[in-house]
Amino acid sequence: MGSKDAGSPPVRDVLIVGGGTAGWLAAAYLARTLAISQPGGARISLVESPDIGILGVGEGTFPSIQRTLRRIGIDESVFMRESEATFKQGIRFDHWVRPPDTPGRSHYFHPFESAITPEGMDLLPYWLLGCADDGIGIDTAVTVQKGVADASLAPKRPGEADYAGALNYAYHFDAVKFARLLRTVAIDLGVRHVVDTVDAVPLAEDGTIAGVLTHRNGRLTADLYIDCTGFSAQLIGQALKSPYQSCRQWLFCDRAVALQVPYDRPDAPIPSYTISTAQEAGWTWDIGLESRRGIGHVYSSDHTDDTRAEQVLRDYIGPAAADKAARTFRFEAGFRPRPWVGNCVAIGLSGGFFEPLESTGIVMIEVAAVLLTSLFPWAGDMATAARQFNRIMRQRYERAADFLKLHYCLTRRTDTAFWRDNAEGATLPDTLRDLLDRWRHRPPEGLDFDLNLDTFSEASWRFVLYGMEYGTDLAAQAGAFRHKDEARRHFAAIRAGTTQALAALPRHRDLIQQIYRHGLRPRPSFGTAQASQSALSAGLAGLSR
């Protein structure tokens, strides 16, 4: 496939094909970072069909979204109000280890904090050695966040700065409203918006894209094209034939059915985590927005059928689902090893998609946008940029597949074929099998990960690994851990910090409603009381990070 080499004309004109979260997030991010408003900066257009909608059932994110929104220049209060966003402090996994009504813990929590103290002490080995209370999960022992989230409290208080709080967090939001906000921001930044349908994508003699033919505006051309056309992959897949690599042999889920339901009362608590509940042939997500819950069931068509899957979803919801229409969609877990071909880059579903577990979809959009900004081929050196972009994105997807499979393969469930098949060693990637072998006698360490290539940090792997009750045996090196008394003091301080946090942090719904009405307004000064609250905030941050 041909591409521009060094010495080719400079790249200035960018055409994004497709809107939605991927298209408009890429447009806004590139507009902010590629000097679109400056002489010599990039010129960005986005063409989207008026006929393609978005399923706004509620979307989850990872804490990296804070950095992305800050870089684009969106105030947190504006983002939350316009996107109907709520806070997300992690993911609660119900019945992933064992079926309901069986002895043992019924759930575990993946918080957005870590097991490292402010002084740099790693509490995880001491938890493995039993220095915390007997039977206490890692999610409760090393951070206050589970207690806060279980109580439906917020991770911050009114008056705290944008994108900052006592506890780390991400968001849930309405995908339709979020895309609409991003569109407004991108257009204000100078992105040209074309509402039209792309009918064809002709290729040049060298195999690159020669333009896109639209229904009303004719041919639109650019130096660089970004494919955000979703699963249809109109440019990267249909026109350029970049192959799609399936991960179905590891990640079985390939269907989802979703709907929205209201709360049972206007003042109902809003959970500040995603609730992921294991089902007979997949799992359900349950996301709390301000006015409703977005709920869906992700499942494997090899282990159930669409009718049964929808019934499982409705049974999970109960009577509130009775008169609600559900929408089913299909996907193939996988990615394109070459998401940049010639003068076209795929971002979003056109480049790859795994099930929405751990919010991988939006994380990968963020990664691709940041990477494209860093590698933008100003001088026309497409081939050089494409090689690095493809290598990094391919490895990102491969490592993310390992992380997602980790959630399934350690299950102790044998009640259905879906869970038995997931625990079969033959369904594990070799790379994940190697990691699990390393961790039989030591916990995950920084040396196991490369944050240039790993989307999920060491802390995330640890919380899922031990939430799924993996047995790392430290008996051979127990004597090397000489700070057990200090660790016990930290565990006690975290228990006390949880009590403080429960008294100090506001109800999640109360803070959300205040932000929608007034924004994150500074708190008035109340002398010593204000100083006490500031000290508490610092203390919570110290305990939880």
Side-chain angles (χ1 to χ4, degrees), residues 315-338:
D315 289 346
Y316 170 84
I317 296 170
D323 59 345
K324 301 295 187 299
R327 176 177 172 183
T328 300
F329 56 95
R330 303 181 177 190
F331 60 90
E332 178 81 9
F335 60 95
R336 297 186 197 279
R338 297 178 66 218

Side-chain angles (χ1 to χ4, degrees), residues 220-386:
L220 303 177
T221 62
D223 303 315
L224 180 67
Y225 299 85
I226 301 178
D227 186 342
C228 296
T229 60
F231 290 126
S232 68
Q234 199 169 0
L235 282 69
I236 196 72
Q238 294 182 36
L240 294 174
K241 310 299 182 187
S242 179
Y244 191 83
Q245 180 174 313
S246 174
C247 294
R248 187 80 189 284
Q249 69 271 38
W250 305 315
L251 301 172
F252 304 151
C253 292
D254 64 337
R255 301 282 194 278
V257 56
L259 50 76
Q260 303 173 1
V261 296
Y263 289 101
D264 55 4
R265 64 180 196 274
D267 64 342
I270 302 174
S272 60
Y273 43 42
T274 302
I275 301 171
S276 172
T277 303
Q279 304 292 349
E280 60 193 38
W283 55 277
T284 49
W285 78 77
D286 192 338
I287 285 176
L289 301 182
E290 192 270 341
S291 63
R292 66 186 186 279
R293 296 157 61 201
I295 307 175
H297 180 203
V298 181
Y299 59 97
S300 163
S301 63
D302 287 341
H303 296 87
T304 192
D305 58 46
D306 294 346
T307 301
R308 174 59 186 164
E310 182 172 337
Q311 188 59 52
V312 167
L313 175 65
R314 293 185 181 279
D315 289 346
Y316 170 84
I317 296 170
D323 59 345
K324 301 295 187 299
R327 176 177 172 183
T328 300
F329 56 95
R330 303 181 177 190
F331 60 90
E332 178 81 9
F335 60 95
R336 297 186 197 279
R338 297 178 66 218
W340 188 332
V341 176
N343 58 351
C344 176
V345 184
I347 293 180
L349 303 179
S350 57
F353 179 73
F354 296 144
E355 59 189 78
L357 191 68
E358 298 284 4
S359 306
T360 50
I362 289 183
V363 170
M364 288 302 184
I365 294 170
E366 294 179 77
V367 168
V370 172
L371 194 56
L372 178 57
T373 296
S374 300
L375 299 176
F376 193 79
W378 292 101
D381 50 341
M382 297 269 195
T384 301

Side-chain angles (χ1 to χ4, degrees), residues 509-526:
R509 178 174 288 281
D510 291 345
L511 181 59
I512 292 301
Q513 291 178 340
Q514 176 170 330
I515 291 171
Y516 289 0
R517 290 194 302 268
H518 307 297
L520 289 164
R521 297 170 61 184
R523 295 191 303 273
S525 175
F526 295 114

Side-chain angles (χ1 to χ4, degrees), residues 381-398:
D381 50 341
M382 297 269 195
T384 301
R387 282 194 300 271
Q388 189 169 7
F389 185 93
N390 290 341
R391 176 181 62 82
I392 292 174
M393 289 303 297
R394 182 183 69 252
Q395 291 177 304
R396 286 265 183 175
Y397 275 111
E398 290 171 346

Side-chain angles (χ1 to χ4, degrees), residues 183-222:
R183 180 180 66 196
T184 299
V185 171
I187 292 172
D188 286 346
L189 289 171
V191 174
R192 176 187 173 221
H193 183 204
V194 180
V195 179
D196 207 342
T197 300
V198 173
D199 295 324
V201 183
L203 300 182
E205 291 184 2
D206 65 354
T208 60
I209 291 176
V212 297
L213 300 181
T214 65
H215 192 66
R216 292 189 299 274
N217 288 270
R219 182 187 293 260
L220 303 177
T221 62

